[in-house]
Amino acid sequence: MPRPLVVRCGALGDMVLLTPLLALLHQRYGLAADVLGAGAWTAPLYTGHPDVHRVLLLGSRKRPYWTDPRQWRAVAQLRSGGRRPVYVCDELATAPLARLLARAGFDDGDLLWVGAHPECARTHWVERWLAFGALDAPRWPGAAQASTEAAPRLFISTSAVADCDAWLTRRGWAGRPLLLLHAGNKRTLKRGGTRGRLGDSKAWPDARWLALLQAMHARAPAAIILLTGTAPEQAWLRRLARASGLAAVQAIGDDLPLPRLLALQARAAGMISVDTGPAHSAAALGCPLLVLYGAASAAAWLPRAPTGSPVLWLGGQDAGHARLLDTAADAVIDAWNTLPLRSPT
């Protein structure tokens, strides 16, 4: 059977949720899939993943093809791989993407667009992708049927583990239990600071984050509590750390490449996160997790853990909430105190 190609230009959480589909296709075709994506996080997320052969990146899909060398390179790489079944995990057959795949030599006999298959509609994204992966492209029937675990799985490279060990040692945190708090999200990243959090359904007042930090410290006083995020969020994370008055609370948004975040999640005792990409990677790495929802539905987006580690959630559509502000700090603290934490290994 030919090597399948999976097309998904998604955010970090989208790419984590895609891994059960990649595992299923690996079983069905006997070869790990190529992945065509658009985000810089895609390659480091899948480094060393046994169900991914290589990652091809488009960059921006909005730029005209004739002005974008990254699209030229992706088309050349796709052509070099020859014809094969292509699983396009976009809801709609967007014209730019369809044209790019045509330039790479694919036609309707090779392509499966998930939006064209209503039988794949499922509440949770993992079930949707597994139903999609069971289909055959018209030109490529006959791949073996298979099944796989309905939960994402990620793998940490030895270099990422070594980097994390050295980083913790430099910081003076080696051997300390780790707790993670991820309070920002994509809207915070785009706009930054307090202004960026206004009108964001996942925003929570700083006073509530500070109360939660006190509760995290009270439960595990020996632990370092790391405020994870991105470089544009670091000023806000530092303000939270200082306002907590706790030496154990440290802001690391400006020193957190994705491989290091994944390595920290693989060893942390537990994590609290808003509904965003790092919540999905934490669950996929077996980190006990509490997820806080704004307006989204946990039924569709709840992170899943392949190891059976606990994933708790509060808020969101399923709780009748339209924003995280509707969730009280006491409710989050109570949920945190019931989350079983992972023992150090």
Side-chain angles (χ1 to χ4, degrees):
M1 298 299 293
R3 185 182 304 280
L5 171 68
V6 175
V7 181
R8 178 65 163 154
C9 299
L12 175 63
D14 299 321
M15 305 312 286
V16 175
L17 289 171
L18 196 68
T19 59
L21 169 64
L22 299 173
L24 180 64
L25 295 180
H26 194 173
Q27 290 187 43
R28 294 196 65 208
Y29 291 91
L31 294 168
D34 288 340
V35 176
L36 177 64
W41 47 84
T42 307
L45 182 71
Y46 289 155
T47 297
H49 200 294
D51 300 320
V52 178
H53 175 245
R54 66 174 177 169
V55 172
L56 314 176
L57 288 180
L58 288 176
S60 173
R61 289 171 291 161
K62 297 180 180 179
R63 294 182 61 183
Y65 178 78
W66 59 87
T67 68
D68 191 351
R70 297 186 74 175
Q71 292 188 49
W72 307 344
R73 183 165 58 250
V75 166
Q77 292 171 320
L78 290 172
R79 281 189 172 277
S80 72
R83 301 284 286 273
R84 51 209 167 131
V86 182
Y87 290 79
V88 186
C89 300
D90 278 10
E91 288 295 308
L92 301 173
T94 58
L97 186 54
R99 286 195 296 268
L100 185 137
L101 292 171
R103 286 189 174 100
F106 301 112
D107 62 25
D108 289 343
D110 305 304
L111 301 175
L112 286 158
W113 295 82
V114 70
H117 293 276
E119 69 272 26
C120 295
R122 300 290 191 278
T123 299
H124 197 281
W125 283 95
V126 167
E127 271 73 40
R128 185 176 305 189
W129 296 139
L130 292 179
F132 188 43
L135 302 178
D136 291 328
R139 185 174 283 114
W140 306 101
Q145 291 302 306
S147 62
T148 190
E149 187 176 12
R153 188 179 292 273
L154 296 176
F155 297 83
I156 308 299
S157 68
T158 54
S159 61
V161 172
D163 165 81
C164 187
D165 288 341
W167 180 80
L168 288 170
T169 299
R170 290 196 304 270
R171 293 276 191 145
W173 302 332
R176 296 280 297 274
L178 301 176
L179 299 176
L180 308 179
L181 176 64
H182 196 94
N185 65 84
K186 185 163 57 175
R187 184 181 294 269
T188 310
L189 170 64
K190 284 185 175 179
R191 301 181 184 177
T194 303
R195 235 170 109 190
R197 298 196 302 277
L198 292 175
D200 175 9
S201 76
K202 302 175 190 178
W204 220 33
D206 286 0
R208 298 191 198 181
W209 290 120
L210 294 173
L212 181 56
L213 285 169
Q214 295 291 335
M216 294 174 73
H217 179 66
R219 182 177 179 187
I224 293 291
I225 303 173
L226 300 179
L227 302 182
T228 60
T230 60
E233 297 168 329
Q234 178 66 0
W236 171 51
L237 298 178
R238 277 204 190 102
R239 289 197 298 272
L240 284 179
R242 285 196 300 267
S244 74
L246 299 170
V249 177
Q250 299 287 327
I252 59 170
D254 61 348
D255 198 17
L256 198 60
L258 181 58
R260 185 175 296 159
L261 170 64
L262 299 178
L264 287 171
Q265 290 177 329
R267 70 176 67 194
M271 181 174 185
I272 302 175
S273 175
V274 297
D275 165 37
T276 192
H280 292 279
S281 59
L285 291 164
C287 181
L289 178 66
L290 171 60
V291 190
L292 309 179
Y293 283 87
S297 166
W301 291 102
L302 186 67
R304 292 187 178 182
T307 59
S309 65
V311 177
L312 307 181
W313 63 274
L314 289 173
Q317 285 180 17
D318 309 317
H321 292 182
R323 53 186 183 165
L324 182 55
L325 192 60
D326 298 332
T327 301
D330 287 347
V332 178
I333 291 169
D334 289 345
W336 161 250
N337 285 328
T338 65
L339 180 70
L341 299 181
R342 180 163 53 184
S343 300
T345 56

